[in-house]
Amino acid sequence: MADFPTSARVVIIGGGVVGVSTLYHLAKMGWNDCVLLEKNELTAGSTWHAAGNCPSFSTSWAVMNMQRYSLGLYKGLAEEVDYPMNYHVTGSIRLAHSRERMQEFARAMGMANSQGLNLRLMTPDEAQQMHPFLETHDLEGALYDPDDGDIDPAQLTQALAKGARQMGARLERFCSATGVTQHPNGTWTVHTEKGDIDCEKVVNAAGYYAQRVGEWFKPYGGRTVPQITMSHQFFLTEEIPELQAWTEANGHKVPLLRDVDVSYYLRQDKNGLNLGPYEPNCKAHWVTPDDPQPDDFSFQLYPDDLERLEAIIEDAMARVPILGTAGVGRVINGPIPYAPDGLPLLGPMPGVKNAFEACVFTFGITQGGGAGKVAAEWVVNGQTEWDMWAVDPRRYTDYTDHDHCYQKAMETYGHEYGMHFPRKMWPAGRDKKLSPVHDKIIAGGGQMGAYNGWERANWFAKDGDDTSIKATETWDRNGPWAIRVREECEAVRDGVGVLDLPGFSRFNLSGEGAADYLAGLITGALPKVGRMNLAYFADDRGRLLTEMSVMRHDADYFTLITAAAAQWHDYDVLARDLPKALNLTDHTTEYSTLIVTGPKARDLFTAIGTEADLSLGWLTHQPAKVAGIDCALARVSFAGELGWEIHAANAHIPALYDAVRAAGATPFGMFALNALRIEKGYRAWKGDLSTDYSLLESGLERFVKFDKPQDFAGKAALMSEQQQGRKKGFAIMTLDNPGPQDAPYMSPVWHDGQHVGETTSGDWGYRVDKSIALGMLRDDLTAPGSKVEIEIYGERYAATVQGDQPLWDPDNARLRA
């Protein structure tokens, strides 16, 4: 035991592919004084029984970045570390049975090719030429990925481990971690069966045991890790002579197939086939008291349960008839962890200083290389090259109880290849956080969506409207909601609307020195007492970390309001270096908000008896009584019209809502609000505003005060960028002859045959009657009048750049009325 390490910079708990990749990348970044702990042999968890498929395909920009990096790493890893690996790049074919699926493929192809990949759409005949055993008579088309294939998970992990060791990192196998202790200075002691290890930072990479490991961090601010363990089966056939003969004649394997509309993959494994379904009638394990998670499940499997796969197996045999000619050689039924949305937890551990998560990977093999890179960047730099909000553990907050996680895991696994249409709201795990007027919203026809667990109306249906989930399964802008959204936008334009908006994240910051502290965090200026403004937070590179509305009540007393989804993320931003003399508190669940907006808003407030100065200008706030009820009024409107936000305790919201509705306000929903804000060019967090772009690229230079006395993160980087000139710039674009869809996130933008940018959001603007896209363009193309093409679901549409100015009420005369 004399050789056992007693100290390290970082301790990683878990020896699967993600944990080992994290160790490897930490060592590559110069942090080689790191230790990985594995209670059994490396790969003993989900890694050892993984199928090892390596797609680059994703409909998430962040996940695609991660997978793209992985595949590039794997191509040269064997040579780099001198460790042999079975890595077969066979290419893959995704089959489409419908126009909608081909549109999804076209969107993913555009994203992928923007990242330097080379995906392409295929006809059924072209797919059959590549895979001669494939039946194609009922297909709409296919998507081909030349970089897809499969890798041996154990060999991959061992290669990463060898590379880590070569750079000086330590791996302790057969060494169970048993707990952690955090010290007052934020450092850790990790307890193991062989002794204690003191370290600066800890990474939970424990796979399907991540929730159990996560319990150790609860005394230091942690929470229950949101995950469920699913049973995932695949089987290998015996050898198939026809397949063997074709392979020998052609010198390579057939491409991997994914029939995503039926929900399975089928790939060649030696001279047989490997069928892996994601069945709708799926099964979770270790979720009830009579099925407890064992202390050790290393290198173990669940009993075979092929009956629940019968329908998919029959379909696969019809699609590739040679599958039915061979017997089943081996069945693999192993545990696979699922977060509620099926994406991993990768980033800072919520509420816990100097702790990180790299766990709950459903597709850990193809994501493992990129995951290790991202995890190491978080640990070493406190920020990542790409914006990784899609997998950030802080995207979940306190609504992810066991019931939610179970319902969503079953839904997500059972629809692993499901299309995520822009207007579709998945039904499982809902109603976790309700507005004080939820029942009134439902009674009024509210069609709900979940925002950080909070139920909000997306649109309001009327009698006879189709409110089925089936009706939302389209990429097109028009559906049963379209006429209602137009009516809601017109009501806000011509009269007055009310939006019930529960779940705004809100924090109070107070104490002597609060103003100086906050001024040192933001890039711009603080508002005066009684006023409010937008404040932006940058990272060290000058990239946009977050946006908050700041209300100033007194010299050192502020309320900060931010997006619902940003609750835990933004609290972290404010609390990270909080001086002990200051007080930061979260009041998100105690208050709610009503947005009352439109040219007749002032008349409405006057009519219902408002004790407040309604002549106060834009960006002011004041305590008030509305209809005799205590509240606060903020003169601001994300819809871009005259309006106020009513902020009040939850108990007061029903009476306030009733008073506003009785005075004639039309209820509107989130779909209308999105259309209204896009016409004003207002940016949305983690769409238009992300760490993929700097503040200057995002067109926010008016919120950067280089001459203020306080320093702020990213100041040097932004000054350098200001001197050298930005490469990209924010722009508003309108489609000259729009098609049936609006631009989704990360649609490629073209000019003279060159890729020159991407959209960050898009919608129809009902006040200006145009399809609008916000996005980032090559800087020389941001001037008004520039001509570009926007690729939307595979079709290119001519568009005109409008510059960075509102399309509706460009002088803000209505807003300031």
Side-chain angles (χ1 to χ4, degrees), residues 53-119:
N53 299 331
C54 290
S56 58
F57 177 96
S58 178
T59 54
S60 162
W61 182 258
V63 172
M64 183 177 281
N65 259 323
M66 196 160 58
Q67 294 176 174
R68 171 183 56 81
Y69 174 88
S70 291
L71 272 55
L73 172 68
Y74 299 167
K75 286 179 181 178
L77 184 62
E79 184 177 356
E80 176 194 331
V81 303
D82 191 24
Y83 191 93
M85 288 195 300
N86 289 316
Y87 182 27
H88 309 109
V89 180
T90 61
S92 72
I93 300 171
R94 287 176 184 259
L95 308 178
H97 294 243
S98 66
R99 168 181 171 267
E100 289 77 15
R101 184 65 79 174
M102 286 298 287
Q103 289 175 297
E104 180 202 48
F105 287 172
R107 183 197 171 198
M109 178 185 69
M111 289 169 52
N113 295 348
S114 296
Q115 290 192 15
L117 298 170
N118 191 29
L119 276 63

Side-chain angles (χ1 to χ4, degrees), residues 105 108 213 267 328 343 351 419 625 653 680 735-736 738 753 771:
F105 287 172
V213 170
R267 81 155 201 252
V328 174
L343 299 182
M419 289 181 276
K625 282 184 182 288
I653 291 294
K680 295 294 292 183
L735 274 67
D736 297 346
S771 181

Side-chain angles (χ1 to χ4, degrees), residues 540-600:
D540 293 343
R541 302 162 296 180
R543 296 189 185 183
L544 206 150
L545 190 60
T546 193
E547 169 196 76
M548 302 188 204
S549 294
V550 180
M551 295 180 176
R552 193 169 193 170
H553 307 290
D554 208 340
D556 277 323
Y557 178 26
F558 302 87
T559 294
L560 298 105
I561 296 180
T562 183
Q567 183 183 1
W568 283 6
H569 176 280
D570 284 7
Y571 188 88
D572 266 5
V573 171
L574 294 169
R576 184 178 303 143
D577 298 308
L578 187 72
K580 291 183 179 179
L582 301 188
N583 188 34
L584 176 67
T585 51
D586 187 332
H587 300 274
T588 301
T589 59
E590 300 167 29
Y591 296 88
S592 194
T593 304
L594 301 175
I595 294 179
V596 181
T597 186
K600 297 180 181 178

Side-chain angles (χ1 to χ4, degrees), residues 489 499 501 595 638-639 668-678:
C489 290
L499 172 65
L501 199 66
I595 294 179
F638 202 46
F668 67 101
M670 298 298 289
F671 289 172
L673 182 65
N674 193 63
L676 294 164
R677 69 97 185 167
I678 275 188

Side-chain angles (χ1 to χ4, degrees), residues 289-305:
D290 60 352
D291 182 25
Q293 185 178 43
D295 291 336
D296 191 350
F297 202 68
S298 300
F299 296 112
Q300 296 183 56
L301 297 172
Y302 303 130
D304 300 352
D305 188 15

Side-chain angles (χ1 to χ4, degrees), residues 202-205 210 214 223 225-226 345-350 355-359 361 375 393:
V202 182
V203 180
N204 179 358
R223 87 299 183 218
V225 173
L345 304 178
L346 182 61
M349 185 181 294
F356 302 85
E357 291 177 336
C359 53
F361 278 78

